[in-house]
Amino acid sequence: MARTITVAALQSSYGADMDANIRRTAELVREAAGKGAQVILPSELFQGPYFCVSQEERWFGTAYPWREHPCVIAMADLAKELGVAIPVSIFEREGPHYFNSMVMLDADGSAMGVYRKSHIPDGPGYQEKYYFRPGDTGFKVWNTKHGRVGVGICWDQWYPECARAMMLQGAEVLFYPTAIGSEPHDKELDTAEPWRRAMVGHAVSNVVPVVGSNRTGHEDVTAAGQTFYGSSFIADHRGDLVAGFGRDDQGVLTATFDLDYVDRHRAAWGFFRDRRTDLYRSLVDPRPA
């Protein structure tokens, strides 16, 4: 019998009330599970508004140790009830350190561990270096009940090294929770299509399905505000879009993949057979000795 996996991407707007955001996410998780989804991806930092548009110290008060985070606790109960795996994006505090993190919940509700976002952006509207340390966990792959999944977080999605590192650890599907939208410094700049193309490129060059979940709607956290462009999607191992939302949609996307077929197709392309690791050392540090 072929091994299959059904994945889901959630797209929603979020407000300042964490309890309301958790309830909204739980509604969508239930909807996705009702459609057969086994691994369900909410968007980045769904605990509240995307606060990194500005530098305000009050937001440090919304971070929690990952095992104690209200989003993790609520989603763990839901994962166990529904038998689904959920990557939960959170604002994590570990002692004096703060991270943009993801806790992987397996289908029995158990926390498999934490991944801390490796690439931290710093620019107008995305001032994450004020809040988050660079991740110290390395890239991870999670052997869930339903399949081996790799999860990067938002800015990680622009880096082919992140996707490849997860694939080398045996990932069968790549997931990217995201919060991205307007660029306050340039009203004419729209990154929605490049955002999607970058992740579709990971699907093609690694022969792997990719799931991207983004938030939607306008948030007035700062005077400038921020409008998120949604466009969540699921791409197959060819990079073909099999499900996608527009900018303002809210709801659930699902798709089912035959993991054995994708694995054979990946082998046939030969991308991993033909890797030249003996030549890559010069790319790690190209400076002369």
Side-chain angles (χ1 to χ4, degrees):
M1 177 183 296
R3 293 187 312 121
T4 63
I5 188 171
T6 301
V7 299
L10 311 183
Q11 183 165 297
S12 182
S13 59
Y14 291 105
D17 186 332
M18 184 186 298
D19 290 337
N21 295 336
I22 290 173
R23 287 193 300 271
R24 172 58 175 158
T25 303
E27 291 173 359
L28 293 174
V29 168
R30 289 186 182 280
E31 180 182 343
K35 295 179 177 180
Q38 298 165 305
V39 183
I40 301 171
L41 181 67
S43 59
E44 181 186 21
L45 297 172
F46 67 85
Q47 66 181 66
Y50 178 75
F51 52 85
C52 306
V53 290
S54 61
Q55 299 181 11
E56 300 178 52
E57 65 183 50
R58 64 189 176 104
W59 294 111
F60 288 107
T62 65
Y64 294 80
W66 67 265
R67 293 176 182 84
E68 303 170 14
H69 199 290
C71 291
V72 172
I73 294 170
M75 291 298 114
D77 290 341
L78 196 58
K80 181 177 181 179
E81 176 192 342
L82 300 174
V84 299
I86 309 173
V88 182
S89 172
I90 61 167
F91 188 12
E92 179 199 359
R93 176 174 183 169
E94 183 186 57
H97 299 151
Y98 295 82
F99 299 94
N100 185 337
S101 300
M102 184 283 304
V103 178
M104 190 70 228
L105 300 176
D106 206 354
D108 60 359
S110 63
M112 303 182 75
V114 64
Y115 164 68
R116 292 168 175 157
K117 185 173 180 177
S118 298
H119 304 95
I120 310 298
D122 184 33
Y126 304 92
Q127 300 180 43
E128 294 195 15
K129 281 187 169 65
Y130 177 75
Y131 298 100
F132 311 131
R133 289 171 62 91
D136 57 4
T137 60
F139 304 118
K140 292 189 172 186
V141 168
W142 312 92
N143 191 23
T144 75
K145 176 182 177 182
H146 301 299
R148 289 181 61 82
V149 303
V151 185
I153 303 173
C154 200
W155 197 238
D156 289 333
Q157 72 213 356
W158 300 99
Y159 294 83
E161 304 93 327
C162 175
R164 183 53 56 90
M166 292 188 287
M167 293 303 298
L168 290 171
Q169 295 178 67
E172 297 175 302
V173 183
L174 299 181
F175 293 82
Y176 294 94
T178 297
I180 188 169
S182 57
E183 305 288 343
H185 69 291
D186 185 351
K187 295 183 184 301
E188 302 302 315
L189 180 59
D190 187 336
T191 63
E193 286 304 315
W195 169 79
R196 182 180 279 183
R197 288 191 202 110
M199 286 179 280
V200 167
H202 302 327
V204 175
S205 59
N206 291 285
V207 194
V208 66
V210 172
V211 183
S213 288
N214 192 21
R215 64 175 65 201
T216 188
H218 184 77
E219 296 178 3
D220 290 313
V221 176
T222 64
Q226 190 83 317
T227 301
F228 296 89
Y229 51 59
S231 305
S232 301
F233 71 96
I234 302 173
D236 68 10
H237 62 286
R238 290 168 38 88
D240 295 330
L241 294 181
V242 297
F245 274 137
R247 293 171 179 264
D248 302 317
D249 297 322
Q250 299 198 43
V252 170
L253 301 172
T254 63
T256 300
F257 299 104
D258 182 331
L259 295 177
D260 291 329
Y261 170 77
V262 173
D263 184 62
R264 291 193 303 272
H265 201 66
R266 184 181 307 117
W269 269 100
F271 294 150
F272 291 85
R273 178 198 64 211
D274 296 336
R275 292 179 66 245
R276 288 292 306 275
T277 56
D278 57 315
L279 300 179
Y280 297 161
R281 293 186 186 90
S282 64
L283 299 179
V284 175
D285 188 356
R287 295 171 297 179

